[in-house]
Amino acid sequence: MPTPRVNFADLRADNGSALNSSLLHSHHYKQSGHLPNAFYVTLCTIFQVETNPADRAVIGRAVFILTVLTSLGYLIADITFTIWDIKSGLTKQTVTTGLFSIFISLIWVTLGMYANRLGRRLLKSSSVVNDLRLHSKTVFKVPAAVLVTLLALVVVTISNYSAFKFYWDSKACVEVSLDGSLCKVIFILRICQTFFLLLFNCCVATAVLSICRTHTIGVRRFLRALENDGQTCELKHRRKFMKAQFSASHNLSELYLPERCYREDSDSDTGNEEGDNTPLLSYVQNPESGAIASSSNGTSIQYSGPRSTVTPTPDGLILSKDDILFSYWKLASRMRMTSRVLQRWMASWIAFTILWLVKWIIAWLHHPSSYLEIAQFVLPLLMTLILCTAYGEANGEAAKIISSITPLQDRLDVIRALPNINIGMTLYSKPIEYSGILAVVAAIGLALSSRMILDEFLPPSPHS
């Protein structure tokens, strides 16, 4: 009789069956819950996802129309001011810098509009909503979603404060021969469109972090199953070839994993998760007598020695080749699907961040930097790095899968085939890895340090 396939995500209720084991109900396999219903309904209201009652979509349409009107008004007013500023010749604004500033404003508006559209697509997809959980990776014990939102609020607050000092007294418009009220209009429209666009982008960024974390958890659960499978194979190998009795001092967990992976007080490697994207695995019960039941290929193992504190195969999980192939394919397909949905927004956000950094580097060529300007330079970079590390974390865990498969003779063809199935979170088929992230950080740090060194040792310009 073939062993049944069991989805670990379905083992949440105690139904009195043999599937309810202490291992599957340990906190290592528990996951954060889905979005609260009130929060989900609020998001559907904002992103025009029609739910019952149908009038909730009216609020979303009103929000979208206000966003479009304020964004178009701001773009028209800002372009008008920039053109008159260039024509006046009274400031350092040139055609190149003016067009670059207009281009950045246009990118910001279009990015927010696309974030609104993407958020609506995500909420309409049942598979994506199922991956949206109340979790994300942590940075210094702070949830990354909360940290990104706080950083975005700080950057927007500083930017609007600088705009307030520039526009509100109307001197900027008077200098370029424009009505002073135009500057006040620009500032008010800037505040309104920034609020809506920031709301859309923060919601999408939170979704990216949550989905990446869900995939990371699914991969780690598969890795745990592979580790248990390896311990089972080790026990079988010892019984078959060594014919030896194990004592309590022979803890097989030490043969494969460091001790921290089995400590009850550590959930940093697996998280508090129970993902719905977990693979379907074969299940074999561990009898009370200490025998490990037969696997899908009919072999059996007998453990007659004393039980240790951490049993090597608590649930006797034996993976067949089909189990490994199907689980690997399932993880790869889900990560590929979400990568395809999120890649355009993610690539656009990275491009916007790069242009934003270039803007300040160009500005600092003409005047020394201030603390507020440095904050506007560093904080968006940190936000982008946090988003990229969520991708890098999922890809780093996925890269461990093949090396975690116990290399049995009948599995060699599977091990050779798996590298041909790309797994991981990608941007247009290009994976984001920690090595690439560190290279970008090093390059930016080198550029800034070079500038500081030049300012320190070179004599000041006679025209400064």
Side-chain angles (χ1 to χ4, degrees), residues 309-348:
T309 305
V310 181
T311 57
T313 55
D315 287 290
L317 292 174
I318 309 297
L319 304 183
S320 66
K321 292 193 294 184
D322 288 342
D323 289 328
I324 297 174
L325 286 172
F326 179 79
S327 302
Y328 190 88
W329 168 81
K330 184 176 180 181
L331 290 170
S333 61
R334 292 181 69 106
M335 297 176 82
R336 182 171 59 253
M337 184 272 293
T338 52
S339 296
R340 187 166 57 249
V341 173
L342 300 174
Q343 64 185 359
R344 184 179 299 177
W345 181 88
M346 191 68 181
S348 300

Side-chain angles (χ1 to χ4, degrees), residues 17 49 98 108 150 252 264 273 275 283 286 297 305 309 328 389 402 409 463:
S17 66
V49 178
W108 168 246
L150 291 178
L252 293 182
E264 290 298 326
E273 296 94 8
Y283 174 81
N286 185 12
N297 57 9
T309 305
Y328 190 88
T389 53
I402 296 178
Q409 183 65 34
H463 301 288

Side-chain angles (χ1 to χ4, degrees), residues 26 127 160 318 328:
S26 70
S127 60
N160 288 333
I318 309 297
Y328 190 88

Side-chain angles (χ1 to χ4, degrees), residues 159 325 392 401 454:
S159 179
L325 286 172
I401 293 179
L454 291 176

Side-chain angles (χ1 to χ4, degrees), residues 158-172:
I158 295 174
S159 179
N160 288 333
Y161 173 72
S162 301
F164 174 80
K165 294 196 301 181
F166 182 77
Y167 288 115
W168 195 252
D169 58 3
S170 304
K171 292 182 180 179

Side-chain angles (χ1 to χ4, degrees), residues 4 49 70 126 151 166 171-172 188 190 195 206 218 226 243 250 265 276 283 291 302 307 392 412 429 438 449 463:
V49 178
T70 55
S126 58
L151 291 177
F166 182 77
K171 292 182 180 179
I188 294 174
R190 179 191 178 100
F195 170 77
T206 302
L226 291 174
K243 305 294 184 181
H250 292 83
D265 60 347
D276 286 340
Y283 174 81
Q302 189 74 22
R307 296 182 181 272
L412 294 182
S429 302
L438 292 176
S449 61
H463 301 288

Side-chain angles (χ1 to χ4, degrees), residues 199-400:
L199 174 64
F200 300 151
N201 282 294
C202 285
C203 288
V204 174
T206 302
V208 169
L209 294 169
S210 178
I211 293 172
C212 288
R213 183 63 177 176
T214 302
H215 288 314
T216 302
I217 293 161
V219 172
R220 287 176 175 174
R221 286 167 55 88
F222 186 35
L223 291 173
R224 175 59 64 89
L226 291 174
E227 292 161 2
N228 289 338
D229 172 81
Q231 293 172 8
T232 303
C233 294
E234 172 70 15
L235 181 58
K236 175 184 175 181
H237 175 80
R238 283 179 171 270
R239 289 294 300 160
K240 181 177 180 180
F241 295 100
M242 301 181 68
K243 305 294 184 181
Q245 295 288 330
F246 294 116
S247 63
S249 61
H250 292 83
N251 190 341
L252 293 182
S253 64
E254 298 176 357
L255 299 177
Y256 286 92
L257 299 174
E259 184 181 356
R260 64 182 178 83
C261 295
Y262 280 83
R263 286 204 299 258
E264 290 298 326
D265 60 347
S266 174
D267 52 13
S268 60
D269 288 341
T270 56
N272 299 329
E273 296 94 8
E274 180 190 348
D276 286 340
N277 66 338
T278 48
L280 298 177
L281 304 175
S282 296
Y283 174 81
V284 183
Q285 184 183 358
N286 185 12
E288 292 294 331
S289 60
I292 298 176
S294 62
S295 65
S296 56
N297 57 9
T299 58
S300 60
I301 318 165
Q302 189 74 22
Y303 177 74
S304 56
R307 296 182 181 272
S308 59
T309 305
V310 181
T311 57
T313 55
D315 287 290
L317 292 174
I318 309 297
L319 304 183
S320 66
K321 292 193 294 184
D322 288 342
D323 289 328
I324 297 174
L325 286 172
F326 179 79
S327 302
Y328 190 88
W329 168 81
K330 184 176 180 181
L331 290 170
S333 61
R334 292 181 69 106
M335 297 176 82
R336 182 171 59 253
M337 184 272 293
T338 52
S339 296
R340 187 166 57 249
V341 173
L342 300 174
Q343 64 185 359
R344 184 179 299 177
W345 181 88
M346 191 68 181
S348 300
W349 179 265
I350 294 174
F352 173 75
T353 303
I354 293 174
L355 293 175
W356 181 263
L357 300 183
V358 171
K359 168 191 172 182
W360 287 111
I361 292 175
I362 294 175
W364 292 338
L365 296 177
H366 302 285
H367 64 81
S369 60
S370 64
Y371 291 112
L372 293 180
E373 292 176 347
I374 293 176
Q376 293 182 73
F377 181 90
V378 173
L379 297 185
L381 179 61
L382 292 179
M383 293 167 54
T384 305
L385 291 178
I386 292 173
L387 291 172
C388 290
T389 53
Y391 273 60
E393 182 185 39
N395 293 337
E397 295 297 322
K400 302 175 183 177

